[in-house]
Amino acid sequence: MSLIPEVIAKPPSARADWTIDQSWTRYSSAQHQVWATLYKRQTDLLPGRACDPFLKGLDALDLRRSGIPDFARINEGLFQLTGWTVVAVPGLVPDAVFFDHLANRRFPAGQFIRRPDQMDYLQEPDIFHDVFGHVPMLTDPVFADYMQAYGQGGLRAMGRGQLHNLARLYWYTVEFGLLRTPQGLRIYGAGILSSASESVFAIEDPSPNRLDFDLQRVMRTRYRIDDFQQTYFVVPSLQALLNVTLRDFGAVYERLEGQPDIPIDALLPGDQVITRGTQAYANKRQAQT
Ligand code: PHE
Ligand code: FE
């Protein structure tokens, strides 16, 4: 989904649904090494920070610590568990194509891997973000249903011109969502799970706000694509997230009509605040630019 807005043309090598071959045999040993390094770094950091469904999913799938996984191998296990498969795409794909894949339980994943000098950050989703970050959560039956429902809802939202609101829901759940557990806050958002620095920041740093998830609040809140989030939204359970999103958004979109956007760091009277952020990190970054 063009959470990062840009116009994209289908490369000639891609099929009508924008999928390409993963061409697993063509990855170089240096590229496999990039995966192995990122994999080790994240699996060292994530126990006690990632949610159980993610850690369980990581165990259940053959994601290969030693190198880039072969989608054909992942799909054998994943399809058995929840009926999802991973398909390779060249990078970002148009919204309608993205939603159609999700609605059919296919997760479009980037085929390329970042360069060794991009270990800490890159803006486009590569195979490490897409596969390590997103795919383990797809082994959870509830989250698997949520992602499919999101795809269906995306196609409907496009027809109604409401994609900007729905994109924020994706951002603050699928990419940057936190989950409340008896042991403390845990990560389920792939944008955090695939980033070493944000895995620590999202859970431990005093800078960001952490607020109880509220559907309309989330849909009105701006987000940043270029740095750590300034606000995270916390769901009480994945089932609760699925429950509030399963209802028809028609009425929700109508109520949102004409309501102003909420700034990325705002706290509002109705917010259930878990942590009131100092925003020290964001302020420091702003002072530097
Ligand atoms: N219920 C939403 C609608 O009616 C679809 C949706 C489901 C969106 C789950 C996001 C997640 O459009
Ligand atoms: Fe992503």
Side-chain angles (χ1 to χ4, degrees):
M1 186 176 25
S2 37
L3 297 165
I4 303 165
E6 67 189 301
V7 180
I8 24 182
K10 186 168 80 64
S13 59
R15 302 176 190 100
D17 67 356
W18 283 66
T19 60
I20 56 173
D21 289 331
Q22 187 194 4
S23 305
W24 184 78
T25 53
R26 288 212 237 141
Y27 292 114
S28 68
S29 57
Q31 288 176 317
H32 284 299
Q33 191 51 51
V34 169
W35 175 282
T37 304
L38 293 167
Y39 189 101
K40 165 120 186 33
R41 187 161 75 173
Q42 287 314 99
T43 47
D44 286 347
L45 278 170
L46 289 177
R49 293 194 176 97
C51 67
D52 282 345
F54 176 86
L55 296 169
K56 237 178 85 189
L58 198 57
D59 271 347
L61 294 172
D62 186 9
L63 289 193
R64 293 192 9 131
R65 34 199 94 231
S66 55
I68 299 170
D70 183 343
F71 290 178
R73 297 272 314 270
I74 297 178
N75 286 341
E76 285 170 20
L78 181 59
F79 188 78
Q80 280 245 325
L81 287 167
T82 54
W84 274 81
T85 55
V86 183
V87 293
V89 291
L92 292 172
V93 301
D95 298 326
V97 173
F98 179 75
F99 294 139
D100 187 66
H101 280 300
L102 295 186
N104 289 286
R105 292 195 174 236
R106 290 187 301 265
F107 189 77
Q111 178 267 359
F112 74 99
I113 191 149
R114 67 195 72 184
R115 296 189 312 261
D117 62 305
Q118 299 171 315
M119 293 307 258
D120 293 324
Y121 190 75
L122 87 168
Q123 211 170 77
E124 339 65 277
D126 74 339
I127 192 171
F128 187 75
H129 166 78
D130 278 338
V131 173
F132 183 92
H134 285 285
V135 172
M137 288 304 295
L138 294 172
T139 65
D140 180 81
V142 173
F143 196 80
D145 285 354
Y146 176 68
M147 287 292 276
Q148 178 181 17
Y150 189 90
Q152 294 162 339
L155 293 170
R156 278 197 300 274
M158 274 185 82
R160 307 181 48 131
Q162 292 290 352
L163 218 51
H164 54 291
N165 292 132
L166 198 68
R168 290 169 178 166
L169 176 63
Y170 191 90
W171 192 259
Y172 281 119
T173 60
V174 179
E175 295 293 354
F176 292 97
L178 297 181
L179 174 68
R180 187 201 299 278
T181 80
Q183 289 76 40
L185 299 183
R186 293 290 184 271
I187 308 160
Y188 73 93
I192 312 176
L193 292 164
S194 60
S195 159
S197 46
E198 194 154 0
S199 297
V200 177
F201 179 86
I203 296 290
E204 279 137 69
D205 204 278
S207 189
N209 298 323
R210 297 176 185 85
L211 310 178
D212 274 358
F213 178 89
D214 175 271
L215 182 64
Q216 292 195 48
R217 165 64 153 101
V218 166
M219 285 190 164
R220 290 177 53 203
T221 308
R222 293 169 182 260
Y223 56 81
R224 43 191 321 162
I225 60 168
D226 59 335
D227 207 333
F228 298 151
Q229 299 308 305
Q230 290 179 246
T231 300
Y232 296 95
F233 290 94
V234 180
V235 295
S237 68
L238 297 174
Q239 186 67 55
L241 173 64
L242 182 61
N243 293 349
V244 290
T245 49
L246 273 185
R247 66 177 208 259
D248 193 315
F249 282 2
V252 181
Y253 293 143
E254 267 163 41
R255 261 176 276 143
L256 288 173
E257 210 65 65
Q259 293 203 49
D261 286 353
I262 301 172
I264 38 180
D265 60 347
L267 286 173
L268 304 184
D271 289 342
Q272 297 295 319
V273 180
I274 299 168
T275 347
R276 177 181 297 270
T278 62
Q279 301 298 344
Y281 172 82
N283 293 338
K284 191 173 111 213
R285 287 294 292 234
Q286 213 183 3
Q288 285 165 358
T289 55

